[in-house]
Amino acid sequence: MSVDRAGEARVVQAVHGRSRKPADPAYQAGLAEELRQSYGRAGLIELYGRFAAGDGVVDTLMRKAIWQALARSCGEGLQVAGGAGFKHPETFDIGSGVFIGAQAYIQGRYDGTCKIGNNVWIGPMAYFDARDLVIEDSVGWGPGAKVLGSTHTALPVDVPIIRTDLEIRPVRIGAGADIGTNATILPGVSIGEGAIVGAGAIVVSDVEPYSVVAGVPAKFIRWRKEADPALDISRGGRS
């Protein structure tokens, strides 16, 4: 009998990133529209509570249909796991083939922007302060990773900080980037295309395309193997 030795890696094919997403059933768009017309936004948010946690077929279908009904736009193939939540979903633009993990939470703002591209995978318990957020196509978002989109000015100093004005700063996540488990992206940060952010990193400044960063605060570790700044590959010069 063979036994795997501790520490040896096993390489298998990705599932979400490679699989072809099945088309939504023909009735789904009609269901979302009927829900929108019948319940309105406030009614749909209340209705969502009935189906938010279950893993059965009906719960899964209704979560997806309600997200589609509430979002500003939503592509096909959306998957919403149990316990996923939202605030101001009317500001969301969601692409096709998006997966939203269990207990993930996307907190929009009534006058904000939240764009999630095609084929994005969002892990369980992720959190997004989505006041001015753009996530481009094929981003992987690790479990528990977070975006903070605003900070209090803390001025004047004689006023409790929570009563001071909010400064909203845009966060941009480039296509094909991968954000590690429990990483935190701070307001105003842009993550470049194809970059890797290590698990637990706190990212306080922009990350170059096709680079790897890690640590607290996050610092440059290396370029990805195929990327060479001298050839301008890391800045999008791919064949």
Side-chain angles (χ1 to χ4, degrees), residues 16 97-99 116-123 128 134-142 172-179 191-195:
H16 179 83
V98 171
F99 174 84
I116 300 173
N118 299 322
N119 202 37
V120 169
W121 187 91
I122 294 171
F128 300 88
V134 176
I135 300 175
E136 296 182 355
D137 295 348
S138 299
V139 167
W141 196 272
R172 302 290 182 260
I173 313 297
D178 189 81
I179 311 301
I191 307 297
E193 178 180 2

Side-chain angles (χ1 to χ4, degrees), residues 33-239:
E33 181 59 29
E34 179 63 30
L35 290 170
R36 184 184 299 112
Q37 296 296 332
S38 298
Y39 285 88
R41 186 166 71 90
L44 281 174
I45 291 171
E46 181 179 357
L47 180 66
Y48 186 75
R50 302 185 194 178
F51 305 101
D55 290 325
V57 173
V58 173
D59 293 313
T60 301
L61 171 64
M62 290 299 293
R63 279 197 299 272
K64 179 165 46 175
I66 292 171
W67 277 69
Q68 288 179 315
L70 285 168
R72 183 158 52 196
S73 66
C74 184
E76 290 199 343
L78 175 66
Q79 299 176 70
V80 182
F86 51 73
K87 187 173 183 179
H88 292 296
E90 71 277 8
T91 65
F92 298 175
D93 291 291
I94 302 172
S96 298
V98 171
F99 174 84
I100 300 173
Q103 300 182 56
Y105 192 82
I106 305 176
Q107 180 174 319
R109 178 180 161 89
Y110 68 92
D111 59 353
T113 297
C114 176
K115 296 182 178 179
I116 300 173
N118 299 322
N119 202 37
V120 169
W121 187 91
I122 294 171
M125 302 183 73
Y127 172 76
F128 300 88
D129 180 17
R131 299 167 191 265
D132 189 347
L133 173 65
V134 176
I135 300 175
E136 296 182 355
D137 295 348
S138 299
V139 167
W141 196 272
K146 302 172 182 67
V147 162
L148 301 181
S150 64
T151 57
H152 287 277
T153 64
L155 296 172
V157 294
D158 59 343
V159 173
I161 293 171
I162 60 170
R163 292 176 55 190
T164 64
D165 292 341
L166 282 173
E167 181 181 33
I168 296 171
R169 302 183 67 192
V171 174
R172 302 290 182 260
I173 313 297
D178 189 81
I179 311 301
T181 299
N182 289 327
T184 301
I185 314 299
L186 293 188
V189 167
S190 291
I191 307 297
E193 178 180 2
I196 296 174
V197 174
I202 297 181
V203 187
V204 301
S205 58
D206 291 353
V207 174
E208 286 287 319
Y210 297 94
S211 66
V212 179
V213 302
V216 180
K219 295 182 179 180
F220 175 83
I221 303 298
R222 62 177 174 85
W223 298 105
R224 292 180 61 187
K225 183 181 294 185
E226 293 81 6
D228 182 349
L231 299 177
D232 203 34
I233 296 175
S234 69
R235 291 166 176 80
R238 295 176 295 163
S239 58

Side-chain angles (χ1 to χ4, degrees), residues 2-29:
S2 63
V3 178
D4 291 340
R5 288 183 293 178
E8 287 193 351
R10 188 163 63 99
V11 178
V12 299
Q13 286 194 343
V15 177
H16 179 83
R18 287 177 174 264
S19 61
R20 295 185 63 184
K21 306 302 182 291
D24 289 339
Y27 60 79
Q28 188 169 307

